[in-house]
Amino acid sequence: MPIHNADIAAIFEEIADLLEIDNANPFRIRAYRNAARAMQTLGRDARDLVEQGEDLSELPGIGKELAAKIAEIVHTGHCQALEKLRKQTAPGLPDLLKIPGLGPKRVRALYHDLDIHSAEQLLRAAHDHRLQELPGFGPKTEANILENLQSHVTHEQRLKLAVAAQYADTLVDYLHKMKSVNKIVIAGSYRRCKETVGDLDILVTAKAGGPVMKHLAEYDEIAQVVSKGTTRATVVLRNQLQVDVRVVEPVSFGAALHYFTGSKAHNIAIRRRAQKRGLKINEYGVFKGDKRMAGDTEESVYKAVGLPWIAPELREDRGEIEAAENKRLPKLVELEDIRGDLHAHTRATDGNNTLEEIAKAAQDRGWSYVAITEHSKRLTIAHGLDKKRLLKQIEQIDHLNDKSSGITVLKGIEVDILEDGKLDLPDDVLAKLDLVIGAVHSKFHLSRAKQTERILKAMDHPHFTLLAHPTGRLIQQREPYDVDMGRIIHQASQRGCYLELNCHPERLDLLDTYCQMAKEAGVLVSINSDAHSLADFENLKYGIGQARRGWLEAKDVLNTRTLTQLQRLLKKTM
Ligand code: DGT
Ligand code: CA
Ligand code: CA
């Protein structure tokens, strides 16, 4: 049974959560959280490392004990320490943790003070306003929990795109091992690069249907075969991800790909268009009466209804069909357009790598620049920089730039925006930097008016260049903070500063619709990895997907500029 890094990370996170509910030693809890993060950002399969006999305890954040646990999980699929903790924890509590806004500390309080150990009990208590009396809760938290409880039910089964990708990749590799298989494409929301996916829709072309489905059913990550015919099957993987597989004829491949890529709204609009032209369109092809007009490629399907091919990320029936009709489809940004990253952390704060390692990795990617933007002092858990340490880093970067060629390391900071809108470091040191990224890391629950004013005030600061993860949401974990994004985008256009699209798979923040708003207002978006380790640079592809969903072209993106152009744009704001 192949174990993915995400599986190991999930086990370590659960151990940390259960330890925290149990009020265990904070250092132990932190060690598991760090290990979970190390697994997510490893960049290679831990399974391969274990099988090749490599010493995992040499990885950052992994000691001997954790290395042994990783090996145990790879070999057995289980972790005894977790099983033991689960037995010790009141049943129901782990489920409560899955509700956004409820961390282990709150779950512990709910259990100890109100004897709550199920979502139903929690719902009742929130309705009766019994939560707000608990220390650390209050009426706002209670309202948030109530809201999250309701939306929790609707997206609990969806997986984040980057997590689904790990399972999708191995399954596709497995299916490719079959000689009779030709093409394999994952359609659906996955192909449209949605932030989360409900299930995977896989299309296969193959000589004959039978053996493919048999091969699929033998995949050892399957928990359940829901249905299995000769041309279609539905299975559920161990992690509860449902996979629909269809074998299609080459003549129908384009039509099937179009149909199963969706979105449903886009399909319906295209079908209506076909009907107006006296055509019938379905997953087998485009037909006039009984005559097949198109269907082997997606291009042929679009052509039959008088349109150019439309990129999957645009297919939401949000104006893409009109744009195609009027030959105004955007030429969407691609990974290759990116010339550098404007948000990375080093070992000086909570990153894993040295300055030199980051510079080298950026250069190896063919980039011209990379910005180092550590946290500022207020963020103590990340060991944020004060003025003195930042000045020291500025010197180090100058020194590095003096001796290296081919890559420029830009000097930056991810400075906290304080509750009153002030920045967390003095002006004289900010003035020495190439860019100043402002970020909200606290007081997420201010009123809309206050939160908006806070950010607008920060953006007014003479040295402010870029707003980090503008809505603060964590996918399926934390709702965006309540803020008037229209005013923020307007302010950015007036002030000549920029918005970040943070590519961390849990953030993907700027949201797609705000990307569109920024583009319309002429505000450039910077697609940033927020790397804490070298493997995080890989996350740029998810940010690119999100940017494409937001209709962004290379010209709408700040870090597609050459170094000289970028420096000019950054100076304008300082
Ligand atoms: P998901 O799985 O919830 O993340 O989202 P999708 O978009 O992958 O949806 P899914 O898996 O239910 O269906 C895959 C595609 O199949 C969908 O994007 C469009 C197409 N489809 C499904 N049901 C219908 C339908 O009733 N009418 C049309 N025209 N297309 C449909
Ligand atoms: Ca799907
Ligand atoms: Ca499906």
Side-chain angles (χ1 to χ4, degrees), residues 137-155:
F137 276 72
K140 254 195 205 147
T141 309
E142 184 179 82
N144 281 329
I145 290 177
L146 198 56
E147 190 187 304
N148 289 340
L149 261 172
Q150 275 140 8
S151 65
H152 173 62
V153 185
T154 55
H155 57 213

Side-chain angles (χ1 to χ4, degrees), residues 523-538:
V523 173
L524 298 183
V525 172
S526 189
I527 303 180
N528 295 344
S529 70
D530 195 355
H532 286 73
S533 76
L534 302 182
D536 288 349
F537 288 134
E538 286 299 316

Side-chain angles (χ1 to χ4, degrees), residues 199-201 242 244:
D199 71 354
L200 293 179
D201 306 278
Q242 182 179 307
D244 291 335

Side-chain angles (χ1 to χ4, degrees), residues 348-563:
T349 56
D350 60 346
N352 283 337
N353 298 94
T354 63
L355 212 53
E356 288 77 12
E357 286 166 347
I358 300 231
K360 165 139 196 335
Q363 189 162 15
D364 289 347
R365 284 177 181 263
W367 289 344
S368 336
Y369 48 83
V370 62
I372 304 299
T373 56
E374 310 281 16
H375 291 294
S376 63
K377 61 186 196 303
R378 200 204 141 272
L379 214 57
T380 45
I381 54 160
H383 200 42
L385 298 186
D386 57 13
K387 176 174 166 179
K388 197 167 148 225
R389 288 170 62 215
L390 179 54
L391 285 171
K392 188 171 150 226
Q393 189 178 63
I394 289 175
E395 247 176 58
Q396 288 168 338
I397 294 177
D398 282 338
H399 183 66
L400 181 62
N401 280 333
D402 283 344
K403 55 174 194 181
S404 59
S405 59
I407 182 94
T408 298
V409 179
L410 297 170
K411 292 166 284 191
I413 188 82
E414 180 183 6
V415 63
D416 260 50
I417 298 176
L418 305 176
E419 185 176 359
D420 60 4
K422 293 209 178 88
L423 302 182
D424 185 33
L425 283 169
D427 291 2
D428 57 347
V429 64
L430 296 181
K432 293 184 193 295
L433 298 169
D434 298 306
L435 77 161
V436 172
I437 306 184
V440 168
H441 290 127
S442 60
K443 302 279 174 194
F444 298 124
H445 289 299
L446 293 183
S447 70
R448 183 179 179 84
K450 279 205 183 123
Q451 195 70 279
T452 307
E453 284 313 317
R454 171 196 193 181
I455 296 173
L456 292 180
K457 177 156 177 232
M459 292 171 86
D460 234 352
H461 190 286
H463 297 307
F464 189 101
T465 14
L466 179 64
L467 179 63
H469 38 74
T471 80
R473 67 92 179 256
L474 294 177
I475 298 171
Q476 296 174 331
Q477 284 174 59
R478 187 167 76 207
E479 296 297 320
Y481 31 75
D482 197 2
V483 76
D484 187 340
M485 200 52 73
R487 282 185 67 198
I488 285 176
I489 290 171
H490 178 72
Q491 169 96 338
S493 81
Q494 296 300 301
R495 265 277 286 118
C497 52
Y498 313 104
L499 299 182
E500 171 177 86
L501 193 174
N502 188 298
C503 303
H504 193 286
E506 295 188 348
R507 290 193 182 271
L508 293 176
D509 180 11
L510 215 48
L511 280 60
D512 52 0
T513 47
Y514 293 141
C515 286
Q516 258 179 311
M517 277 168 65
K519 176 190 172 116
E520 275 154 30
V523 173
L524 298 183
V525 172
S526 189
I527 303 180
N528 295 344
S529 70
D530 195 355
H532 286 73
S533 76
L534 302 182
D536 288 349
F537 288 134
E538 286 299 316
N539 290 337
L540 279 173
K541 63 172 181 276
Y542 299 112
I544 293 284
Q546 178 88 338
R548 290 168 64 89
R549 292 180 58 73
W551 291 55
L552 297 190
E553 305 186 43
K555 67 176 169 55
D556 306 315
V557 176
L558 182 63
N559 50 335
T560 58
R561 301 298 200 268
T562 63
L563 177 65

Side-chain angles (χ1 to χ4, degrees), residues 158 187-192 194 196-201 242 244 246 256 258-269 271 316:
R158 303 181 66 81
S189 51
Y190 186 88
R191 184 164 179 242
R192 305 199 314 279
K194 289 274 285 188
T196 62
V197 302
D199 71 354
L200 293 179
D201 306 278
Q242 182 179 307
D244 291 335
R246 289 176 186 80
H258 179 257
Y259 182 89
F260 291 110
T261 296
S263 69
K264 194 170 162 183
H266 174 89
N267 287 359
I268 289 171
R271 194 187 318 132
E316 299 292 340

